[in-house]
Amino acid sequence: MLHSASGRIGPHRVMTKDTKPVTPPLDGMLDLDEPEFEAPSVDEGPAPEWSGNELLQIDVKGKIWVRGGRFFDGRVVGKVGGEDGEAVIAMLADRFQALEDRWLLLEKDVSGIHNMVRHIKSLRSFIHWVEGAKAIGDFEALLEKASGELERIETQLATGRAAKEQLIDEAEKLADSNSWRSTADTEAELMERWKRAGAGGGDEDEILWQRFKTARSRFFDRRSEHGAEVRENRRTGQQAKEDLITQAEALNSSTDWGATFDAMQDLMEQWKRTPSAGRKTDDELWNRFRAAREPFFEARKKQFAENRRQQSRGARDQGRPRGRSQAPRDRGGSASPGARRSSNQGSLHASLAELVGPLRDMFPADRKKEEDD
């Protein structure tokens, strides 16, 4: 039997969850790293029977057993002998208290940590440390908390990895899209979702990011190439239209009506084939091109009108209507009403044709305005 100042310790001294550790006197404290306190080998005897909620038992050989459970295998954590049994038990209880204090610090540290991999490593190290500790206490409860936290973080990382895999799949499907504006908007949404997806875990996070980045870069690189091509085409189109405007301005004072009319029509056909310079620039250039052509067609219109007036005056002076043949006359010597109507209609048609032609040249009906990409 073991004895101490607090009373007798029998061969099956029991410590429960409510038992408070006794602080041993300094002169009675034993070094728990000494060989007599190391866990014995398995062949030193079977584990004791457990009943109730006791956390430890001391068998007839003085071995101190701690109770196991779902997270912890019961085992020997030390051995008592002589008159120092209470001191040994108190020391082992204090050691367990140190483990619980360490857990509280770990919980506080990891609550605001962003490196989940470091968090997992800390938890695994702590669990390994607890499982091999020579101490007396509720190992099952402590390991349940630590294992639960480890499982929670591992689940969180697995969820983050799955979310990022989904985002990578979506980004890869968009990599070859030519819908530049809408796809760019979708890519921005994917990036925001990536930021909210959470960590995937250390090196795995970096691998996932590189895959996501590669898929996005393919689309944005292609968009940049397309943009450079569009800008070059617009620059070429603007320069070509500037040249056509210059040519039209050089011709707009010409009185060589036939040749200049043909030249103006050719400039219009070239304008239609010229690449777009962009919506706003195209509108500005078109207004300048139309203004450059207008003086010629206005002058041509006035000249044709003057020619018609002179022709009409000459016809009246000669005492006959316009036309190649003499109009039929009635019995009184004047042109018959039918002949006069026919002659007047012919003159009207000729006048309309001369008016419509220049107007058609000035405002071509088939002008096509290029749209932006």
Side-chain angles (χ1 to χ4, degrees), residues 187-202:
E187 290 283 6
E189 293 175 5
L190 293 183
M191 178 58 76
E192 291 303 315
R193 288 166 57 192
W194 182 276
K195 294 176 182 178
R196 298 192 300 268

Side-chain angles (χ1 to χ4, degrees), residues 305-370:
E306 179 61 26
N307 290 345
R308 286 193 297 275
R309 284 194 296 272
Q310 291 179 2
Q311 290 174 1
S312 297
R313 187 181 304 114
R316 287 195 301 272
D317 291 344
Q318 294 176 8
R320 58 183 177 81
R322 292 177 59 191
R324 295 183 178 179
S325 60
Q326 187 75 20
R329 297 181 177 275
D330 58 15
R331 294 179 181 179
S334 61
S336 65
R340 286 197 299 272
R341 284 195 300 272
S342 176
S343 176
N344 291 339
Q345 289 174 355
S347 298
L348 178 60
H349 291 165
S351 298
L352 289 175
E354 291 177 349
L355 285 171
V356 171
L359 290 174
R360 184 185 300 112
D361 297 336
M362 291 175 63
F363 304 102
D366 58 350
R367 177 189 175 227
K368 181 178 181 299
K369 294 175 66 176
E370 297 86 356

Side-chain angles (χ1 to χ4, degrees), residues 151-166:
E151 182 179 0
R152 182 186 70 81
I153 296 303
E154 288 179 334
T155 300
Q156 180 178 332
L157 293 180
T159 301
R161 288 193 295 271
K164 289 182 175 181
E165 288 282 1
Q166 175 64 31

Side-chain angles (χ1 to χ4, degrees), residues 194-244:
W194 182 276
K195 294 176 182 178
R196 298 192 300 268
D203 294 340
E204 187 69 20
D205 250 345
E206 181 62 24
I207 293 172
L208 292 170
W209 167 249
Q210 290 300 327
R211 289 174 56 197
F212 185 60
K213 180 181 177 182
T214 298
R216 284 169 50 83
S217 295
R218 175 171 173 77
F219 167 74
F220 284 110
D221 288 347
R222 291 178 54 251
R223 189 183 72 158
S224 295
E225 293 173 1
H226 172 75
E229 182 179 347
V230 169
R231 287 190 294 273
E232 178 60 24
N233 288 340
R234 288 180 175 179
R235 188 194 66 78
T236 301
Q238 180 175 355
Q239 184 59 54
K241 289 180 177 180
E242 293 276 4
D243 293 342
L244 293 174

